[in-house]
Amino acid sequence: MSYIWSILIIVSIIFSLISGNVIEINNVILTTAYEALRTYGLIASNIILWSGILDVCVDSGVMKYLTFFVKPFIRKLFITKDELTLDCISANIACNIFALGSAATPFAIKAMLKLQEENPNKNKESKDMATLIIINVCGFTILPTSLISLRANYNSNENATVLFYILIFSFVTTLIMLVIDKLVKKCI
């Protein structure tokens, strides 16, 4: 992959030399680094803010209420009966629903470790592990906080106009993948 990027950069520089746009390529190189760092700072601050809010939710017991509402669905999707595993899966999904992916990761790792302990075949993922991966990859979300803050950062007039579409498409994608997951599990 690094070869492809290297070739693209070299071709771009050669093309700018031939076309006489060296000043423009220099400006793009310098401003892009600044924009990337600025965007990284925005995303990092957003992650820090929502991770802090999540910690307050965990410490105050609000996360227990969120997982309480998610757990009935989780029990239907997962074979495991271990309460700690189900709590970790529920917390992971609750975080992902609010687009707190970086805050959801520790819960997903704990759930995967617990699922691996229950797994009879340690060299292959269990059905529950595959389901958890599918749910995390599909990323059903209600409130995409990072996207809203990025749109605000880039002066979008209507930062939340995409919320409805994200809700619908992420729900439909997750639903389709869970149906496929269940069908594949029945065939295995």
Side-chain angles (χ1 to χ4, degrees):
M1 190 65 161
S2 62
Y3 294 118
I4 294 171
W5 284 108
S6 299
I7 290 170
L8 285 172
I9 291 170
I10 291 169
V11 168
S12 298
I13 291 172
I14 291 171
F15 184 74
S16 71
L17 290 171
I18 293 171
S19 64
N21 294 326
V22 177
I23 294 173
E24 288 180 32
I25 196 79
N26 285 336
N27 290 337
V28 167
I29 289 171
L30 296 174
T31 58
T32 303
Y34 170 75
E35 282 297 318
L37 190 58
R38 185 172 152 238
T39 302
Y40 173 77
L42 174 72
I43 293 171
S45 63
N46 192 32
I47 289 170
I48 291 167
L49 170 72
W50 287 103
S51 294
I53 291 172
L54 178 68
D55 284 344
V56 170
C57 289
V58 169
D59 292 343
S60 67
V62 172
M63 185 56 83
K64 287 183 182 178
Y65 292 111
L66 287 174
T67 59
F68 175 77
F69 291 111
V70 175
K71 217 180 235 186
F73 301 107
I74 300 305
R75 290 182 199 273
K76 292 182 189 306
L77 293 174
F78 292 90
I79 301 166
T80 185
K81 301 299 178 210
D82 181 51
E83 284 299 314
L84 181 59
T85 305
L86 291 172
D87 285 343
C88 290
I89 293 170
S90 299
N92 170 257
I93 292 172
C95 288
N96 281 328
I97 285 174
F98 295 105
L100 304 173
S102 61
T105 301
F107 293 116
I109 292 170
K110 286 180 190 175
M112 282 294 193
L113 291 173
K114 295 295 286 178
L115 290 171
Q116 183 64 12
E117 288 175 10
E118 298 173 14
N119 190 2
N121 185 354
K122 303 294 184 196
N123 295 325
K124 186 179 175 191
E125 77 277 352
S126 68
K127 292 177 180 180
D128 282 347
M129 292 169 90
T131 302
L132 183 59
I133 291 169
I134 287 169
I135 290 171
N136 277 284
V137 168
C138 290
F140 174 63
T141 186
I142 294 174
L143 186 65
T145 54
S146 296
L147 181 66
I148 292 170
S149 65
L150 283 171
R151 288 176 59 90
N153 186 47
Y154 287 103
N155 302 322
S156 173
N157 292 333
E158 298 178 25
N159 300 327
T161 55
V162 295
L163 289 180
F164 174 74
Y165 302 107
I166 289 172
L167 176 67
I168 295 299
F169 288 122
S170 65
F171 175 76
V172 169
T173 303
T174 304
L175 187 64
I176 289 170
M177 289 308 297
L178 288 174
V179 168
I180 292 171
D181 179 50
K182 286 295 181 188
L183 292 173
V184 168
K185 283 181 184 176
K186 285 184 180 181
C187 292
I188 293 178

